[in-house]
């Protein structure tokens, strides 16, 4: 993020399924952004993220929910076929991508299992909950691994990430289609408060100007939600009586 950003985009899930997906996306992005492990600091950041991801994957039926959503998105696209002026080639292309993602995800081994069974990852996970538990004397396996050739470490990390490719590709496509399903509309909050209905929606997306340095506090579920805007500076910040913002209900 940079100081010159004019607006900030916030996303809030409206159900547990979307909450899990956004957390997985967040963790996968961190893993891919920090995939070159050059020292103990970068390695621990990567392994801690892997551990967090495995914890999230163990809590729910991620594969089942994603397969259902891939099928639902195919059905939604099929409904556009009879709409005048629609780009049929684009529709068929997206449906083919969805089918391919579903096929690969269906055939893939249990998501995260390869990472759970990896000896190095397992050793590091055991020590992460101990303050300072990954020192070289506590974890000599990691210490010597970090002294292997960088190319060898890079290759192992690529192999780890490749085991997550079916999950990553399916999730990215599903979230992209969901995000595109709702258009941003201008809204006004009164005295820092806004509420509306969200029947059948999965995700709220809010775009706020940085001018007032406000952030949204969202509460609600799949049928109704409320947003309260709060200042970053809780002591001196001011919330305008009428605040313009953009909102997309996806």
């Amino acid at each position: 993020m940079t100081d010159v950003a004019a607006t900030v985009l916030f996303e809030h899930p409206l159900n547990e399924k979307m909450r899990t997906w956004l957390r997985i996306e967040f963790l996968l992005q961190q893993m891919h952004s920090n995939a070159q492990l050059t020292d103990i600091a970068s390695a621990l950041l990567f392994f801690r993220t892997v551990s967090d991801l495995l914890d999230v994957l163990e809590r729910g039926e991620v594969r089942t929910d994603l397969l259902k959503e891939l099928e639902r998105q195919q059905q939604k696209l099929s409904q556009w076929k009879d709409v005048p002026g629609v780009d049929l080639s684009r529709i068929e292309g997206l449906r083919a991508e969805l089918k391919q993602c579903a096929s690969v995800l269906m055939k893939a081994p249990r998501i995260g299992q390869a990472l759970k069974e990896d000896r190095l990852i397992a050793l590091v996970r055991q020590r992460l909950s101990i303050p300072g538990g990954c020192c070289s004397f506590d974890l000599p396996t990691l210490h010597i691994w970090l002294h292997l050739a960088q190319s060898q470490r890079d290759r192992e990390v690529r192999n780890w990430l490749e085991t997550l490719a079916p999950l990553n590709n399916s999730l990215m496509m599903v979230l992209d289609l969901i995000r595109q399903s709702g258009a941003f509309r201008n809204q006004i909050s009164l005295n820092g408060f806004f509420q509306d209905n969200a029947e059948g929606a999965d995700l709220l997306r809010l775009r706020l100007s940085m001018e007032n340095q406000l952030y949204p506090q969202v509460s609600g579920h799949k049928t109704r939600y409320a947003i309260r805007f709060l200042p970053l500076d809780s002591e001196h910040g001011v919330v305008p009586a009428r605040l313009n913002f953009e909102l997309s209900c996806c």
Side-chain angles (χ1 to χ4, degrees), residues 12-16 19 194-204 218-227 247 249-250:
H12 186 84
L14 293 173
N15 52 56
E16 191 59 34
R19 190 183 306 275
F194 181 87
Q195 64 180 356
D196 202 353
N197 296 318
E199 187 68 40
D202 293 306
L203 178 69
L204 290 181
V218 184
S219 60
H221 46 78
K222 62 182 180 180
T223 58
R224 190 163 183 80
Y225 62 90
I227 306 171
L247 177 67
C249 193
C250 308

Side-chain angles (χ1 to χ4, degrees), residues 10-246:
F10 294 89
E11 293 186 327
H12 186 84
L14 293 173
N15 52 56
E16 191 59 34
K17 173 188 69 178
M18 180 57 67
R19 190 183 306 275
T20 298
W21 289 352
L22 291 181
R23 285 174 175 159
I24 292 174
E25 178 193 43
F26 175 69
L27 293 168
L28 287 172
Q29 287 174 345
Q30 289 184 65
M31 289 174 64
H32 282 87
S33 297
N34 300 284
Q36 190 169 51
L37 313 186
T38 57
D39 51 30
I40 187 63
S42 59
L44 287 182
L45 176 60
F46 180 85
F47 286 119
R48 191 174 297 279
T49 306
V50 171
S51 182
D52 288 347
L53 176 63
L54 292 176
D55 287 344
V56 174
L57 292 175
E58 289 171 358
R59 294 174 190 161
E61 297 295 328
V62 176
R63 188 207 303 261
T64 301
D65 288 340
L66 274 177
L67 287 171
K68 289 179 180 178
E69 185 63 28
L70 288 166
E71 177 61 30
R72 187 173 79 93
Q73 290 296 335
Q74 290 183 57
Q75 294 175 359
K76 286 179 66 176
L77 287 171
S78 295
Q79 297 172 4
W80 284 89
K81 284 185 175 182
D82 298 326
V83 177
V86 73
D87 186 345
L88 290 177
S89 62
R90 176 60 175 160
I91 294 295
E92 289 304 317
L94 286 172
R95 291 188 73 238
E97 289 183 52
L98 287 165
K99 288 181 180 179
Q100 176 65 17
C101 284
S103 176
V104 173
L105 184 61
M106 181 84 74
K107 297 174 183 177
R110 185 177 179 183
I111 299 173
Q113 190 63 30
L115 299 182
K116 287 181 65 176
E117 294 176 353
D118 185 90
R119 180 171 176 270
L120 179 60
I121 291 176
L123 287 171
V124 176
R125 286 188 80 195
Q126 291 173 3
R127 308 296 302 181
L128 286 174
S129 61
I130 302 172
C134 293
C135 287
S136 61
F137 62 85
D138 276 319
L139 204 52
T141 307
L142 176 61
H143 186 64
I144 192 171
W145 186 81
L146 287 170
H147 283 77
L148 298 176
Q150 184 67 49
S151 59
Q152 184 174 345
R153 296 200 303 275
D154 289 345
R155 185 166 57 253
E156 288 196 45
V157 173
R158 282 196 302 270
N159 290 338
W160 291 334
L161 293 176
E162 186 62 29
T163 67
L164 297 171
L167 168 66
N168 187 61
N169 295 338
S170 296
L171 183 62
M172 295 307 104
M173 185 161 196
V174 160
L175 291 179
D176 187 48
L177 289 173
I178 290 175
R179 286 170 172 137
Q180 292 184 45
S181 68
F184 279 101
R185 303 183 187 281
N186 293 319
Q187 304 287 359
I188 299 176
S189 77
L190 300 178
N191 298 315
F193 185 76
F194 181 87
Q195 64 180 356
D196 202 353
N197 296 318
E199 187 68 40
D202 293 306
L203 178 69
L204 290 181
R205 310 183 78 210
L206 297 89
R207 189 176 286 147
L208 297 177
S209 169
M210 275 295 294
E211 179 183 1
N212 299 299
Q213 296 187 19
L214 303 175
Y215 64 91
Q217 189 177 76
V218 184
S219 60
H221 46 78
K222 62 182 180 180
T223 58
R224 190 163 183 80
Y225 62 90
I227 306 171
R228 185 166 295 282
F229 294 95
L230 301 171
L232 180 61
D233 185 343
S234 58
E235 292 186 12
H236 304 103
V238 177
V239 180
R242 293 174 64 87
L243 174 69
N244 295 301
F245 68 99
E246 292 180 88

